[in-house]
Amino acid sequence: MTGATMGDAVAIRHAVARGIGGVVLFGPSSPGLAQTLRRALASAPRGNPPLIASDEEGGQVQRLGSLIYPLPSAEAMGRWSPARITTTARTYALRMKALGVNVALGPDTDVAVPGFFIAASHRSFSADPQQVGVDVNAWDKGLESAGVLGVVKHWPGHGQATDTHVGSSIVPPWSTLQRRDLIPFETAFAHHAAAVIVGHLRVPGLTEGPLPASQSPTALRALRTEAGASVLILTDDLSMAAASKTLGISPAQAAVRSLVAGADIAMVCWDPVDPVTTAVTQALDDGRLPRTQAVASARRVLRAKMHVTAD
């Protein structure tokens, strides 16, 4: 999954023609987005277009706000009834779908911990893990009813993390996360959440050495066990410092590590797409990425595409 600004028709068309699994859209917004996407998707190989995704949490994290309308932050919506959250999500998602965007990278499923990045950005529904789970399910229900794929994030919990865009982050031990941060994710999976983003978090008692969860075989095995066999697992953007720069590797190398460890989609938004696809192809050819594992991931991606194009 690659990234592109909404007005960059050339980059979007190139990614689609390469057969990439998904494109994440970024600002600045473009009034011609729907037309850009329609034209680009016509170049998809064998009629197999990518997923088209955008960060649409509301508040500070909302890429399509100027094309649709601004949403309140998750923190503000956390004071609403679940029914109102569902209605809000459905109404907004229908407008997303009309633009050609079929994946919402959200809802944020992290627990608000005062003084940390997520809470300071007003991105969490609540400091109460149980309430977060209720609100996440309400939001996801609204997205699904409009034919948009919701992606719960950032497993195993960014509530007590620093900003992984700029550096590595060590969160509380696995035993602590199990008692608090994992609760909303467990609730979401119990209510059939279809997709999840795994964060670039180092977790004592779970991840190996300097590896973040997004590249940790142990962490991704734990996530697969918790989420179930059919859930689509995406990494957070591997261009972020915590996934590549702080480890002394390129985003393309991080993508291979993530896929080998068990992710279905390696998201690399801010590095050129061609070196990433080349690195993944090489990993398949030399056996580092088992072909049976890659086929299983590809099938999950295809099921997600069928889900959002069923109407």
Side-chain angles (χ1 to χ4, degrees):
M1 185 173 270
T2 189
T5 57
M6 295 181 208
D8 194 343
V10 173
I12 295 172
R13 191 180 311 114
H14 176 72
V16 172
R18 284 299 305 268
I20 202 76
V23 178
V24 182
L25 301 174
F26 292 93
S29 61
S30 168
L33 176 62
Q35 184 179 50
T36 295
L37 292 175
R38 280 197 301 271
R39 289 176 174 174
L41 295 180
S43 63
R46 294 183 296 280
N48 181 23
L51 297 164
I52 303 296
S54 180
D55 286 295
E56 300 300 323
E57 301 174 20
Q60 297 180 27
V61 184
Q62 186 186 359
R63 311 297 179 199
L64 300 174
S66 63
L67 298 180
I68 302 177
Y69 46 75
L71 287 166
S73 67
E75 181 183 279
M77 290 188 284
R79 295 187 284 270
W80 296 357
S81 69
R84 184 180 178 189
I85 292 173
T86 295
T87 299
T88 300
R90 173 179 167 78
T91 304
Y92 189 85
L94 287 170
R95 298 285 293 272
M96 289 177 61
K97 202 76 181 287
L99 291 171
V101 183
N102 51 29
V103 179
L105 299 177
D108 194 303
T109 311
D110 301 313
V111 176
V113 179
F116 287 89
F117 177 67
I118 291 294
S121 304
H122 314 289
R123 295 174 64 185
S124 172
F125 286 109
S126 176
D128 178 356
Q130 303 288 350
Q131 188 61 50
V132 174
V134 169
D135 293 344
V136 161
N137 286 337
W139 187 262
D140 205 40
K141 180 180 178 181
L143 296 178
E144 183 179 13
S145 70
V148 169
L149 179 70
V151 186
V152 297
K153 64 183 185 184
H154 313 78
W155 190 93
H158 249 271
Q160 217 162 316
T162 53
D163 186 355
T164 51
H165 291 87
V166 298
S168 63
S169 181
I170 301 176
V171 296
W174 181 234
S175 57
T176 301
L177 298 187
Q178 288 174 308
R179 294 192 301 269
R180 182 188 64 188
D181 301 72
L182 289 181
I183 290 173
F185 290 97
E186 292 168 352
T187 302
F189 296 136
H191 285 76
H192 310 295
V196 58
I197 283 177
V198 55
H200 310 314
L201 304 171
R202 294 170 61 186
V203 185
L206 177 68
T207 56
E208 303 91 339
L211 291 181
S214 55
Q215 298 171 40
S216 161
T218 302
L220 285 163
R221 280 196 299 271
L223 174 54
R224 177 59 68 199
T225 298
E226 179 184 340
S230 64
V231 171
L232 187 68
I233 297 177
L234 302 80
T235 71
D236 208 349
D237 177 15
L238 295 161
S239 308
M240 294 162 67
S244 46
K245 183 178 179 180
T246 60
L247 297 171
I249 61 174
S250 68
Q253 290 172 310
V256 171
R257 281 191 185 180
S258 294
L259 295 172
V260 171
D264 296 314
I265 291 181
M267 185 191 299
V268 182
C269 292
W270 295 110
D271 265 51
V273 65
D274 292 344
V276 180
T277 56
T278 297
V280 173
T281 300
Q282 290 174 343
L284 279 164
D285 289 344
D286 66 26
R288 282 175 293 152
L289 176 56
R291 190 163 294 273
T292 54
Q293 180 177 327
V295 167
S297 289
R299 285 176 173 157
R300 293 186 188 101
V301 175
L302 289 170
R303 281 197 295 269
K305 290 180 180 182
M306 292 172 64
H307 176 78
V308 298
T309 58
D311 59 348

